[in-house]
Amino acid sequence: MPRIVCVAGARPNYMKIKPVMDALERRGAEVVLVHTGQHYDPAMNDVFFADLGIRRPDRFLGVGSGTHAEQTGRVMTAFEPLLDEVSPNIVVVVGDINSTLACALVTAKAGPLLAHVEAGLRSRDWSMPEEVNRVATDRVSDYLLAPSPDAAENLRTEGYRDDQIHLVGNVMIDTLLANLERAQASDILDRYALSRGEFGLVTLHRPANVDDPEVLTGLLKALGEIAGRCPLVLPVHPRAAGRLAEIGVPGGIRLVPPAGYLDFIALQDSARVVLTDSGGVQEETTALGVPCVTLRDNTERPVTVEQGTNVLAGRDPVRIVATVNQVLNSPPAPRRPDLWDGRASDRIADVLLAGGTAGTRPRPTDQPGTTGLSSFVDQPRPTDRTFPI
């Protein structure tokens, strides 16, 4: 059986890598878990490992925070000798954080096969660092593991080979369904004196929303107006805590500490509506059948709008208030996309273990007749091609 390195670095990765590791190990693969340490705050790290039952990492790189270049460079510098020492057949990276791109680049040059979980997601918003990370990671990957048909179609449009693209479903939902009963047993509603269906849940963490005081002030104004109709609970992301304190939070918005995975799922499952700028929350609310209003102008997960409970509101305060009122008056019907069935990780493991070993599978540009990199690079940077709100 092959040796497979699975990489995680931050909260959005943990829910994605756990079911993949489990599925591979059930099939007898040797799995080496590498934690880059991109998230190192216990509230954003340790509690999720405990909640999800993730074993201690085999290797911890401890890269910490910094600018995008510093963080990416530190991960690459630490991961390169590890890869040489471990000599895996396959490296699995998930999502779109800096650790994902850094480990992908090192792997592509070192020789093992590279698998990208959540390949093909596109916001077409190049101001998002995550968009750069996911596009570049896909470019150097051997296995493109797409969570939804739109993601697979994005990859075909960009010129990837059909044998690279695998529509496997959403691993986030594997974790959600496996832990939903435990989450529903959480006492977090009692701790915060909340009643099911009588509060809204808010998450804010994206730089475009929390780093610009003018934008954040506008969002808080909208949230304050919404809170007059539906009280809001806002678990405070470390990125946003200081800025929220500086600006001040309107009445009706209750700030609470960051929640662990089980507690946060319990809050989502019990909320009347969720307001978020998180891609993962868009997916989780769709799976739970809970109305979601996304505080962004675009989404890399349009399936949550087309086949789920998500509505894009943008960042204009007037539009946000109007959208939330409409959702509260007429909630979208619960819908769950195909292949969001809790079996995505099994399909991923089957794909990876059926393939060749390092050095035997051609890279994307090695194939004669492929449209290759030029077909994507020659396209204009699509800043005006966003999923419509």
Side-chain angles (χ1 to χ4, degrees), residues 38-381:
Q38 182 171 327
H39 271 176
Y40 51 89
D41 186 306
M44 303 299 291
N45 182 42
D46 296 353
V47 67
F48 285 88
F49 270 65
D51 280 355
L52 296 173
I54 303 176
R55 61 179 170 81
R56 289 179 60 86
D58 298 293
R59 301 297 180 91
F60 182 74
L61 304 185
V63 300
S65 61
T67 67
H68 288 284
E70 290 169 341
Q71 196 171 64
T72 303
R74 283 201 292 266
V75 174
M76 293 179 71
T77 301
F79 189 64
E80 185 176 46
L82 182 153
L83 205 61
D84 183 58
E85 175 190 343
V86 173
S87 298
N89 304 102
I90 304 171
V91 173
V92 178
V93 296
V94 297
D96 52 26
I97 64 171
N98 288 339
S99 295
T100 303
L101 175 60
C103 293
L105 291 174
V106 170
T107 302
K109 294 184 178 184
L113 296 172
L114 177 65
H116 184 202
V117 175
E118 285 197 335
L121 295 181
R122 299 289 184 267
S123 69
R124 298 183 170 84
D125 179 357
W126 288 92
S127 69
M128 294 177 62
E130 296 91 344
E131 181 76 352
V132 177
N133 289 345
R134 62 176 73 103
V135 168
T137 299
D138 284 345
R139 186 60 255 168
V140 296
S141 293
D142 299 287
Y143 298 99
L144 299 167
L145 303 164
S148 54
D150 60 283
E153 184 57 31
N154 287 336
L155 294 167
R156 293 188 191 96
T157 300
E158 292 170 14
Y160 292 94
R161 301 191 318 270
D162 285 342
D163 68 297
Q164 290 178 271
I165 302 168
H166 304 273
L167 179 57
V168 294
N170 192 330
V171 290
M172 286 275 287
I173 309 308
D174 289 21
T175 297
L176 175 65
L177 297 179
N179 291 280
L180 184 55
E181 188 173 336
R182 294 173 60 220
Q184 290 171 334
S186 166
D187 66 349
I188 193 166
L189 297 186
D190 293 334
R191 273 182 272 149
Y192 293 149
L194 298 170
S195 298
R196 184 178 182 87
E198 295 185 7
F199 68 95
L201 178 65
V202 182
T203 77
L204 289 172
H205 78 282
R206 291 199 177 274
N209 282 344
V210 301
D211 288 357
D212 185 326
E214 183 176 350
V215 172
L216 184 57
T217 298
L219 292 175
L220 290 173
K221 179 182 177 181
L223 295 176
E225 189 171 339
I226 294 163
R229 178 177 178 184
C230 178
L232 300 177
V233 176
L234 199 171
V236 181
H237 191 285
R239 164 178 280 281
R243 293 174 177 84
L244 290 173
E246 292 172 7
I247 294 173
V249 177
I253 304 175
R254 182 177 180 183
L255 302 183
V256 299
Y261 179 75
L262 296 176
D263 283 348
F264 189 67
I265 293 298
L267 288 171
Q268 288 188 78
D269 186 51
S270 300
R272 183 178 178 188
V273 63
V274 176
L275 295 87
T276 189
D277 57 8
S278 162
V281 171
Q282 295 171 48
E283 296 174 320
E284 289 166 344
T285 48
T286 279
L288 292 168
V290 174
C292 178
V293 175
T294 295
L295 309 177
R296 288 168 46 187
D297 297 317
N298 51 64
T299 179
E300 64 283 353
R301 294 165 169 87
V303 69
T304 63
V305 178
E306 296 166 343
Q307 300 180 33
T309 59
N310 186 24
V311 180
L312 284 177
R315 296 185 296 164
D316 174 70
V318 174
R319 185 181 181 92
I320 291 171
V321 173
T323 301
V324 173
N325 282 330
Q326 182 179 359
V327 168
L328 292 174
N329 292 336
S330 181
R335 298 177 296 174
R336 187 179 294 174
D338 292 340
L339 299 185
W340 291 28
D341 56 1
R343 297 291 308 279
S345 54
D346 287 319
R347 287 185 283 268
I348 288 171
D350 289 342
V351 167
L352 298 184
L353 297 181
T357 56
T360 65
R361 183 181 176 92
R363 291 270 173 203
T365 52
D366 291 340
Q367 289 295 298
T370 183
T371 50
L373 181 61
S374 62
S375 67
F376 184 74
V377 172
D378 291 344
Q379 297 179 24
R381 290 168 71 90

